[in-house]
Amino acid sequence: MIKELKIRVLPKQASSEYNIIQAVSQEYAIDLSSIKAIRVLKRSIDARQRQVMINMQLKVYINEIPTDDEYIHTYYDDVSDKSPVIIVGAGPAGLFAALRLIELGRRPIIIERGKNVHERRKDIARISREQIVNSESNYSFGEGGAGAFSDGKLYTRSKKRGSVDRILNIFCQHGADTSILADAHPHIGTDKLPVVIENIRKQIEKSGGEIHFETRMDKLLIKNDEIIGVETQNGKEFHAPVILATGHSARDVYYHLYESGIELESKGFAVGVRLEHPQHLIDQLQYHNPKGRGEYLPAAEYSFVAQVNGRGVYSFCMCPGGFVVPAASGPNQIVVNGMSPSNRGSVWANSGMVVEIRPEDIDQYSRYGVLSGIKFQEELEYQCYVNGNCKQTAPAQRMTDFVNKKVSFDLPKSSYTPGVISSPLHFWMPEFITSRLREGFSYFGKISKGFLTREALMIGVETRTSSPVRIPRYKGNMQHVRIKGLYPCGEGAGYAGGIVSAAIDGERCAEAAAQYM
Ligand code: FAD
């Protein structure tokens, strides 16, 4: 017999399959020896009270051995003789578009400016070691896209539960741990995600799809408002409808679209800093325990949000037990972001702390029209680079010094490997951002006593939270509002934010493109 049961247990009782079986046996008076296996269907941590509890929904196999699959399989046929669709960009949007096209009997041809995920790792290491950023292979560009070396958080605010579950199942089919199907806040980790990405690529190739690395799309080929294909940096042409999934760091793509007269729109985005605390301190605060998280709980997360003078100030992409990383995509810029290994085992907790920006907040850039947000980001990243000594060393300030507008005379240790240097962020970052961050931090420090601390380090600047530009498309057929056969897709098109939502958008664009003849 298989039963679905719920239990609420102490962290230790949830720490192994045997402990969970014991807890089920006691709670539901089921003979211990009759429980042959359990599967965790849902798991969440309830840290609202002093005693942290784990809530679980379980499938309990009583006198029965599991024979059902742990995840739903998707089948991919051979599409090598089918008509092609071009996908520009091998981020989550592009890769999931390719898999979906195969399911629908179309042949994906992926064009990716960066290297494969294995080679890319070497360029990422060089950023810290030699302070060199390769403009074609970095934290943003290359196989797997911007999230390949990340925390691999897979939660999203998307309400489309069915689509989210589908994406998570496909991740499992390609090697992700099935715990992502159960956890309330699933994540894969930077040590494991690249392997999953490689497996997705192997599946695409096995089914007859193509992937061309180190191949940059430089031009969209358009005739009579209809897409013909793309031209690459070495003049090679590919002809087919195009799913454009180039992410929000490919500024050259936006410039190309703008210069070609292709309609774009400006949109809101967010800018700020990375904030790094000792993980132990976050564990103490979030688990209400001076001893920290103890033996059985994971590194604690947090999420804060406030409204300050009409704009949101919020934590973004929090990485427990992680590292702050140099995420610039070209020379003369500093951009920071965060990642964590699967065990979230580092001694630091970091998160973006950003302020919402609307197009009207950056009026002084209005001469750049729809590209004003990009120009604003570029200038801030350049200023950060100058204040970081014109290297990848990042300007940084103690959190309390920032709030009190003081220079930090020394800095706490940081996970940011290119190095940090003391800098008055309150002085050179735009005032409409720093004033809101200051108020936001004071508020967060009030609702979570100890969060506002001199042990926390602010590292500049976090600018790539979402795209400041939208490439408008029709809701129904997903095509660009004028150019037929062009499917703006994922985060760069302004229709997604995060790995899972980009993947969902990739699937939707593939479904629309598969119907286009
Ligand atoms: P991208 O992932 O940006 O992919 C675009 C791809 O297009 C890139 O591979 C790029 O090389 C390629 N490309 C660009 N221009 C061209 C061109 N002209 N020709 C050919 N190819 C081109 N999100 C989460 O949900 N969870 C996380 O934990 C998380 N952590 C992150 C950590 C870091 C360090 C970073 C940088 C981002 C993180 N994100 C995270 C955000 C997430 O990665 C993005 O939201 C997501 O990758 C967007 O997917 P996308 O496919 O739309 O675009």
Side-chain angles (χ1 to χ4, degrees):
M1 186 194 342
I2 302 172
K3 276 190 174 178
E4 274 195 29
L5 301 173
K6 286 185 180 166
I7 56 169
R8 181 174 166 82
V9 292
L10 295 168
K12 186 178 178 182
Q13 293 174 290
S15 65
S16 70
E17 184 169 340
Y18 182 70
N19 287 359
I20 298 172
I21 289 176
Q22 273 199 322
V24 172
S25 162
Q26 275 166 22
E27 170 97 18
Y28 287 95
I30 303 172
D31 177 26
L32 187 62
S33 62
S34 70
I35 304 179
K36 301 299 175 201
I38 47 126
R39 247 182 223 159
V40 182
L41 301 177
K42 295 270 168 252
R43 175 173 34 222
S44 62
I45 298 172
D46 182 354
R48 287 170 300 175
Q49 309 293 330
R50 199 158 277 277
Q51 177 57 64
V52 177
M53 299 298 287
I54 312 292
N55 293 324
M56 283 188 286
Q57 192 181 328
L58 305 168
K59 219 175 183 181
V60 182
Y61 296 80
I62 303 166
N63 292 321
E64 200 167 321
I65 303 294
T67 50
D68 49 339
D69 282 336
E70 282 190 71
Y71 54 83
I72 300 163
H73 282 258
T74 303
Y75 294 93
Y76 300 102
D77 279 338
D78 187 344
V79 291
S80 32
D81 60 348
K82 304 289 192 227
S83 56
V85 174
I86 297 164
I87 299 167
V88 189
L95 291 174
F96 277 79
L99 289 175
R100 188 76 183 124
L101 282 170
I102 293 169
E103 268 189 272
L104 298 169
R106 300 291 294 261
R107 180 163 58 91
I109 301 177
I110 303 182
I111 290 167
E112 168 54 57
R113 72 195 298 162
K115 299 180 185 174
N116 71 48
V117 75
H118 182 73
E119 290 299 316
R120 188 180 168 196
R121 200 186 278 279
K122 297 176 192 165
D123 293 314
I124 281 171
R126 287 180 72 200
I127 303 175
S128 295
R129 213 176 41 236
E130 298 168 37
Q131 308 264 340
I132 294 170
V133 180
N134 177 339
S135 344
E136 302 298 324
S137 175
N138 47 57
Y139 273 97
S140 297
F141 296 159
E143 185 182 23
F149 300 98
S150 75
D151 183 41
K153 270 181 287 298
L154 299 179
Y155 37 100
T156 164
R157 276 171 289 174
S158 172
K159 301 270 184 299
K160 300 173 202 121
R161 197 58 244 173
S163 312
V164 174
D165 288 344
R166 205 184 119 76
I167 299 298
L168 297 182
N169 276 278
I170 294 173
F171 270 122
C172 290
Q173 183 167 341
H174 293 92
D177 194 290
T178 49
S179 63
I180 64 171
L181 301 175
D183 285 336
H185 287 174
H187 86 111
I188 297 184
T190 186
D191 46 332
K192 299 204 169 151
L193 190 51
V195 178
V196 177
I197 290 164
E198 272 181 341
N199 289 340
I200 292 178
R201 183 221 311 154
K202 284 178 192 158
Q203 178 62 65
I204 293 167
E205 288 177 331
K206 193 172 149 208
S207 297
E210 294 172 25
I211 176 151
H212 301 263
F213 291 117
E214 298 182 66
T215 304
R216 191 183 61 229
M217 179 214 74
D218 272 358
K219 195 174 172 192
L220 287 174
L221 303 171
I222 296 166
K223 197 171 172 191
N224 298 332
D225 286 352
E226 182 164 10
I227 205 95
I228 301 171
V230 298
E231 186 181 311
T232 69
Q233 85 273 20
N234 41 27
K236 190 169 173 191
E237 293 188 5
F238 292 84
H239 294 162
V242 174
I243 295 177
L244 188 68
T246 43
H248 63 27
S249 287
R251 291 174 177 155
D252 50 353
V253 173
Y254 294 124
Y255 287 122
H256 167 60
L257 298 178
Y258 182 74
E259 281 155 17
S260 309
I262 294 175
E263 290 76 358
L264 301 171
E265 292 168 0
S266 49
K267 62 181 268 300
F269 57 109
V271 157
V273 295
R274 269 272 140 183
L275 184 65
E276 186 170 63
H277 283 80
Q279 179 64 51
H280 182 63
L281 193 148
I282 298 300
D283 292 339
Q284 288 174 322
L285 297 179
Q286 298 301 91
Y287 293 138
H288 326 287
N289 188 341
K291 290 188 184 149
R293 67 175 181 263
E295 208 179 327
Y296 301 108
L297 285 168
E301 306 170 20
Y302 63 79
S303 166
F304 289 116
V305 59
Q307 279 290 316
V308 180
N309 296 331
R311 296 289 179 271
V313 178
Y314 55 95
S315 57
F316 175 81
C317 189
M318 200 258 151
C319 298
F323 303 90
V324 180
V325 299
S329 52
N332 304 347
Q333 358 171 300
I334 286 190
V335 179
V336 286
N337 211 307
M339 70 177 188
S340 315
S342 52
N343 69 1
R344 288 181 163 168
S346 99
V347 297
W348 288 283
N350 73 71
S351 175
M353 280 288 174
V354 295
V355 177
E356 172 196 359
I357 313 258
R358 297 187 192 160
E360 60 267 30
D361 296 333
I362 46 172
D363 263 354
Q364 65 276 37
Y365 292 84
S366 58
R367 64 185 182 283
Y368 299 109
V370 74
L371 301 181
S372 59
I374 291 182
K375 289 287 180 188
F376 171 76
Q377 284 175 321
E378 275 179 344
E379 197 157 299
L380 191 55
E381 291 164 9
Y382 178 69
Q383 270 187 45
C384 192
Y385 173 74
V386 171
N387 283 287
N389 266 356
C390 297
K391 294 198 288 185
Q392 283 302 305
T393 43
Q397 188 172 16
R398 286 184 188 266
M399 189 185 187
T400 40
D401 289 337
F402 173 81
V403 169
N404 297 320
K405 298 188 184 177
K406 283 186 182 162
V407 172
S408 295
F409 289 105
D410 60 356
L411 298 178
K413 278 197 173 150
S414 168
S415 68
Y416 182 78
T417 48
V420 286
I421 53 172
S422 175
S423 174
L425 301 182
H426 66 273
F427 179 71
W428 61 263
M429 283 183 70
E431 213 271 332
F432 69 96
I433 295 174
T434 55
S435 59
R436 288 187 170 97
L437 276 180
R438 223 175 2 254
E439 273 202 46
F441 287 168
S442 301
Y443 173 67
F444 302 152
K446 275 186 199 131
I447 55 173
S448 178
K449 293 236 167 0
F451 185 78
L452 173 54
T453 166
R454 72 184 299 277
E455 294 312 311
L457 186 66
M458 297 169 60
I459 307 175
V461 283
E462 175 120 1
T463 44
R464 312 275 178 96
T465 53
S466 63
S467 173
V469 173
R470 179 174 293 117
I471 312 173
R473 69 186 185 197
Y474 286 120
K475 211 173 169 189
N477 66 9
M478 313 286 281
Q479 286 184 39
H480 182 262
V481 290
R482 183 167 54 84
I483 310 295
K484 293 193 203 76
L486 175 64
Y487 296 86
C489 180
E491 193 163 51
Y495 291 98
I499 295 168
V500 171
S501 83
I504 292 174
D505 203 54
E507 287 212 323
R508 291 185 62 214
C509 287
E511 284 156 16
Q515 294 191 2
Y516 183 77
M517 300 307 283

